[in-house]
Amino acid sequence: SSEVLEAIENVIEDVFKSLAQKKAPVLTLDNRSDWRNVEFKDSVGLQMIPSCTTKQIRSDCPRSATRFALTLKILSMIYKMVQTNTYATKRDIYYSDTQLFGSQSVVDNIINDISCMLKIPRRSLHVLSTSKGFVAGNLSYTEEDGTKVNCTCGATVFTVPSNVQGIKNLISHAKFVLIVEKDATFQRLLDDNFCNKLSPCIMITGRGVPDLNTRLLVRKLWDTFQLPIFTLMDADPHGVEIMCIYKYGSVSMSFEAHHLTVPSVKWLGLLPSDLERLNICKDALIPFTKRDQTKLASLQKRPYIACQPAWKRELEIMAASKLKAEIQVLTSLSSDYLSRVYLPNKLQFGGWL
């Protein structure tokens, strides 16, 4: 906490120095939305390069003066929370003055900018975010406030903790972790008692693009248990991108890659090659939209695809067919095909990439 306080004090000191010299204060941030500022390392994923380009938030420019003021406002709130050892969610910060902040996304963006500017992980700033992800299966742990959580009980679903860093006493007899893209598929697998049927496992869903807490939990499970981690995604460009976020990270959070990525993540399904192999009827597949084509072209150029020849081939199959499929397409074979046939076969015979 003293490191956080010192980092904030240094920022404010620079503001005072500028004012004393009758200069307009400026905040300088690494530009965390530019692919040119990111390098790919197989063992880490996407990480920010040391000498990346920066952007300025000026106090004397009408376009950025409000942003400058809001950043200082949030910095003062963080300073107070760290001093008093209290926490707030991003939502709490927004609702402390909705008129001032204007929208939740403004707060979210500024907090990520502050984390990047101070080179301090967001959770060390005492700012938590409300989790949207779910976890179930063979796992128990104790939350920071002492609450004991036991996910092992039947088909019980728990929300991913909002302070993943604070959880301890993690116990599991799971043989693997399964990350499921969508909530509907996650719920279906729970109804089919998948977590216990084949062999004990832990299931996680980020319910689409994962939030920070879901990614942190996947990383924590990897660090704690070193279990194989598989992903079950739709066979479309969006699903592939979500899987890449878990495995390699995202450009906007590349400054925190070391805490968030799990490069050992494997692609279990749904593979574009599975659609042909399982003889899925063409009528059950969905034609690409323009957006799908753009997204796929962008994915094929990403640095991490070049080092994954098997993934590259799957993307080429998708590009050639211009067709995509949701996991639910397997119900065209039988209502419980996913949990009864597809996943057991894949896991038993090593059908992952």
Side-chain angles (χ1 to χ4, degrees):
S1 60
S2 59
E3 188 192 328
V4 181
L5 296 176
E6 193 182 330
I8 296 172
E9 284 161 8
N10 289 339
V11 171
I12 303 306
E13 205 176 305
D14 286 345
V15 169
F16 279 128
K17 276 181 189 164
S18 298
L19 290 169
Q21 291 163 6
K22 302 222 171 355
K23 288 181 190 165
V26 168
L27 298 173
T28 305
L29 311 171
D30 288 340
N31 195 342
R32 59 185 183 85
S33 60
D34 192 336
W35 272 93
R36 288 170 301 181
N37 286 337
V38 169
E39 63 180 356
F40 170 66
K41 235 187 183 169
D42 208 6
S43 58
V44 181
L46 298 173
Q47 59 178 9
M48 205 168 241
I49 57 173
S51 54
C52 63
T53 60
T54 56
K55 59 179 181 180
Q56 289 190 326
I57 303 175
R58 302 191 60 85
S59 59
D60 62 345
C61 167
R63 228 175 42 188
S64 62
T66 304
R67 184 91 174 184
F68 180 91
L70 293 180
T71 304
L72 290 194
K73 166 76 174 167
I74 292 176
L75 273 171
S76 75
M77 293 171 86
I78 290 169
Y79 192 85
K80 196 175 282 184
M81 288 191 296
V82 175
Q83 263 190 329
T84 56
N85 196 27
T86 53
Y87 288 82
T89 64
K90 293 188 296 183
R91 210 164 168 71
D92 293 334
I93 291 173
Y94 168 59
Y95 278 108
S96 69
D97 199 331
T98 53
Q99 277 191 305
L100 177 70
F101 293 119
S103 77
Q104 181 70 62
S105 63
V106 167
V107 172
D108 297 355
N109 252 314
I110 289 174
I111 287 164
N112 285 340
D113 276 346
I114 287 172
S115 175
C116 186
M117 176 174 71
L118 301 180
K119 308 270 187 289
I120 287 167
R122 195 178 71 194
R123 52 215 168 278
S124 301
L125 303 177
H126 286 227
V127 178
L128 307 173
S129 53
T130 312
S131 300
K132 68 179 179 110
F134 291 147
V135 59
N138 197 290
L139 175 69
S140 63
Y141 55 86
T142 308
E143 291 199 7
E144 198 181 30
D145 63 1
T147 308
K148 286 184 168 53
V149 175
N150 186 2
C151 309
T152 315
C153 311
T156 319
V157 172
F158 289 88
T159 303
V160 168
S162 56
N163 188 359
V164 174
Q165 196 187 22
I167 67 173
K168 49 191 182 290
N169 306 330
L170 286 89
I171 299 166
S172 178
H173 303 292
K175 298 290 180 241
F176 61 92
V177 175
L178 182 65
I179 299 170
V180 182
E181 179 187 348
K182 285 180 178 162
D183 189 23
T185 312
F186 180 84
Q187 298 293 346
R188 179 64 211 248
L189 288 171
L190 272 181
D191 292 344
D192 290 349
N193 193 26
F194 179 75
C195 290
N196 302 308
K197 223 178 230 174
L198 189 64
S199 56
C201 74
I202 299 166
M203 279 204 319
I204 290 177
T205 179
R207 299 163 78 198
V209 177
D211 59 1
L212 198 67
N213 293 328
T214 305
R215 291 175 63 191
L216 282 167
L217 182 61
V218 171
R219 176 61 195 245
K220 185 145 191 145
L221 292 174
W222 165 248
D223 287 339
T224 309
F225 302 117
Q226 301 281 300
L227 291 168
I229 298 178
F230 302 111
T231 56
L232 182 62
M233 305 279 149
D234 287 341
D236 66 11
H238 189 63
V240 174
E241 181 163 60
I242 288 171
M243 174 173 59
C244 291
I245 290 171
Y246 284 107
K247 187 175 174 75
Y248 295 125
S250 59
V251 175
S252 63
M253 294 301 288
S254 56
F255 65 95
E256 265 212 69
H258 287 272
H259 308 288
L260 291 172
T261 59
V262 185
S264 64
V265 160
K266 301 277 184 268
W267 187 2
L268 188 68
L270 187 64
L271 303 178
S273 59
D274 288 340
L275 303 174
E276 206 169 295
R277 184 176 61 81
L278 297 171
N279 221 357
I280 302 284
C281 172
K282 283 264 163 68
D283 295 345
L285 305 178
I286 308 159
F288 261 24
T289 62
K290 189 90 184 84
R291 195 161 158 251
D292 291 326
Q293 279 177 292
T294 309
K295 175 68 72 189
L296 182 57
S298 148
L299 278 168
Q300 287 177 305
K301 288 185 196 132
R302 301 223 181 140
Y304 42 68
I305 296 298
C307 76
Q308 290 278 2
W311 286 30
K312 200 176 171 194
R313 276 195 302 276
E314 293 294 330
L315 296 188
E316 283 162 3
I317 292 169
M318 207 189 284
S321 72
K322 291 192 172 60
L323 293 168
K324 58 183 182 177
E326 296 185 329
I327 296 159
Q328 282 83 344
V329 79
L330 296 176
T331 56
S332 67
L333 300 172
S334 79
S335 62
D336 59 351
Y337 191 85
L338 176 65
S339 60
R340 184 176 55 83
V341 182
Y342 182 81
L343 289 174
N345 283 351
K346 283 256 170 181
L347 292 159
Q348 194 177 344
F349 300 112
W352 57 79
L353 304 176

